[in-house]
């Protein structure tokens, strides 16, 4: 009888461990490999939108500069992510009439080398971060416009990334800054979310794509922060426009869910106008 009970107990224990292992594997497969996933998708979408068939380091850096942590890193090194993005946008060829297909997009050798080195530099099991991509892009060589641009603006991003600036904590208490959160759903089309971000939050197309993909892959993303009255006005307008366009997307005030380990898009380019013209450095999650 004792042997039977011990055998039954071992069977129950083995079954429980098998179930836990299966659930852990399911979660790991669903979890994106690092928040650089958003950056690479954004870069790809931007290349396709411009009708370009090869993904360049410039596309990668342009997309990475939409990440809050990268923007803060660049600011700590004495440069402006918004200015760097403008120069990269001017350098890249203008959009053609007919965009290319994402399936035919190729990764250039230089961009492929950046991704490989970013994986080597990464200390996270999830893979490289947007900061890893930007740091290794700076050493891509003199012939790379993005590398030369980063080197001129911030000579040593690698050193600056070792002690990145600490971001203030988010809060939604009265009188303090709050954020506007967009939540993912299975109905709203990606293109509709991008258009909403451009029309209501003043984002350009690259920012809107980065933000939309963050919402899609991470479950939610936060714009801002803004003063409470400004946030309330933006929330009301965005919700009204979304409903008029038949979008069931959920929009709320407060911090976004961060279970997936993603960072969020930078503050919309024209958001400073809503605060009376004061330009504020982007904040990190």
């Amino acid at each position: 009888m004792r042997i039977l009970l011990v055998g039954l107990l071992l069977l129950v224990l083995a079954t429980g461990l098998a179930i836990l292992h299966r659930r852990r594997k399911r979660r790991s497969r669903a979890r994106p490999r690092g928040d650089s996933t958003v950056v690479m998708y954004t870069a790809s979408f931007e290349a396709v939108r411009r009708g370009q068939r090869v993904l360049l380091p410039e596309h990668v850096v342009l997309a990475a500069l939409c990440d809050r942590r990268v923007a803060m890193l660049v600011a700590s090194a004495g440069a402006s992510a918004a200015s760097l993005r403008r120069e990269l946008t001017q350098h890249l060829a203008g959009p053609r009439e007919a965009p290319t297909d994402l399936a035919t997009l190729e990764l250039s050798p230089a961009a492929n080398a950046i991704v490989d080195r970013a994986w080597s530099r990464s200390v996270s099991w999830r893979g490289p971060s947007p900061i890893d991509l930007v740091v290794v892009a700076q050493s891509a060589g003199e012939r790379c416009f993005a590398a030369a641009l980063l080197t001129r603006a911030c000579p040593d991003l690698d050193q600056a990334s070792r002690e990145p600036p600490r971001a203030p904590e988010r809060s939604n208490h009265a009188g303090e800054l709050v954020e506007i959160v967009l939540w993912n759903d299975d109905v709203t089309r990606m293109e509709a979310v991008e258009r909403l971000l451009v029309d209501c939050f003043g984002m350009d197309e690259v920012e809107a794509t980065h933000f939309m993909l963050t919402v899609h892959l991470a479950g939610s993303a936060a714009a801002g922060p803004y003063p409470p009255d400004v946030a309330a006005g933006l929330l009301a307008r965005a919700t009204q426009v979304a409903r008029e366009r038949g979008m069931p997307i959920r929009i709320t005030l407060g911090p976004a869910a961060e279970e997936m380990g993603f960072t969020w898009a930078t503050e919309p380019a024209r958001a400073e106008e809503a605060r009376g013209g004061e330009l504020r450095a982007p904040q990190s999650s």
Side-chain angles (χ1 to χ4, degrees):
M1 179 64 71
R2 182 176 298 177
I3 295 177
L4 180 61
L5 290 176
V6 171
L8 182 60
L9 179 61
L10 290 175
L11 178 61
V12 171
L13 181 60
T15 303
L17 290 175
I19 293 174
L20 289 175
H21 179 66
R22 199 157 42 240
R23 288 181 177 177
R24 180 172 297 179
K25 287 183 65 177
R26 189 181 301 119
R27 285 197 299 266
S28 65
R29 286 196 299 268
R31 187 173 185 141
R33 297 302 301 275
D35 42 9
S36 59
T37 303
V38 172
V39 171
M40 296 306 296
Y41 271 122
T42 302
S44 300
F45 279 35
E46 180 63 13
V48 168
R49 187 184 69 82
R50 291 175 175 271
Q52 296 163 343
R53 303 182 185 279
V54 179
L55 186 66
L56 304 172
E58 286 72 24
H59 295 120
V60 176
V61 173
L62 177 63
L65 287 169
C66 291
D67 183 88
R68 280 186 174 179
R69 288 185 302 172
V70 172
M72 287 190 63
L73 173 64
V74 169
S76 70
S80 165
S83 297
L84 295 179
R85 290 180 61 243
R86 282 194 293 270
E87 292 192 54
L88 284 168
T89 300
Q90 293 172 1
H91 172 78
L92 290 168
R96 298 178 181 176
E97 293 183 1
T100 55
D101 186 1
L102 189 63
T104 64
L105 187 66
E106 298 181 1
L107 195 64
S108 70
N112 188 58
I114 287 174
V115 174
D116 288 343
R117 290 200 299 269
W119 272 95
S120 300
R121 185 183 189 275
S122 173
V123 296
S124 171
W125 67 268
R126 292 194 303 268
S129 70
I131 287 181
D132 292 323
L133 291 173
V134 171
V135 169
V136 299
Q138 189 178 48
S139 60
E142 297 180 357
R143 296 183 180 181
C144 176
F145 178 83
L149 178 65
L150 290 171
T151 301
R152 173 173 56 81
C154 0
D156 195 351
L157 281 176
D158 190 13
Q159 179 61 34
S161 68
R162 301 180 192 279
E163 295 182 3
R166 187 173 182 179
E169 295 183 359
R170 300 179 179 186
S171 176
N172 59 356
H173 295 160
E176 298 182 359
L177 299 177
V178 295
E179 295 170 316
I180 300 177
V181 183
L182 277 69
W183 300 84
N184 187 49
D185 62 71
D186 296 329
V187 178
T188 307
R189 294 177 57 85
M190 292 182 176
E191 297 82 358
V193 176
E194 288 184 277
R195 181 47 49 190
L196 181 71
L197 293 168
V198 171
D199 293 344
C200 295
F201 293 90
M203 295 185 184
D204 60 36
E205 291 183 333
V206 183
E207 287 177 306
T209 299
H210 184 277
F211 195 98
M212 176 274 295
L213 288 171
T214 305
V215 173
H216 179 67
L217 293 175
S220 64
Y226 307 96
D229 55 341
V230 174
L234 285 173
L235 174 65
R237 169 167 169 71
T239 302
Q240 178 184 358
V241 171
R243 299 301 175 262
E244 290 175 351
R245 297 176 181 178
M247 301 166 57
I249 187 170
R250 179 187 173 206
I251 309 174
T252 63
L253 294 179
E258 300 182 8
E259 290 83 1
M260 301 300 288
F262 281 79
T263 55
W264 314 119
T266 55
E267 181 180 358
R270 296 196 294 273
E272 66 272 11
E273 297 177 2
R275 296 192 303 274
E278 180 185 359
L279 183 60
R280 179 186 55 78
Q283 298 187 23
S284 173
S285 56

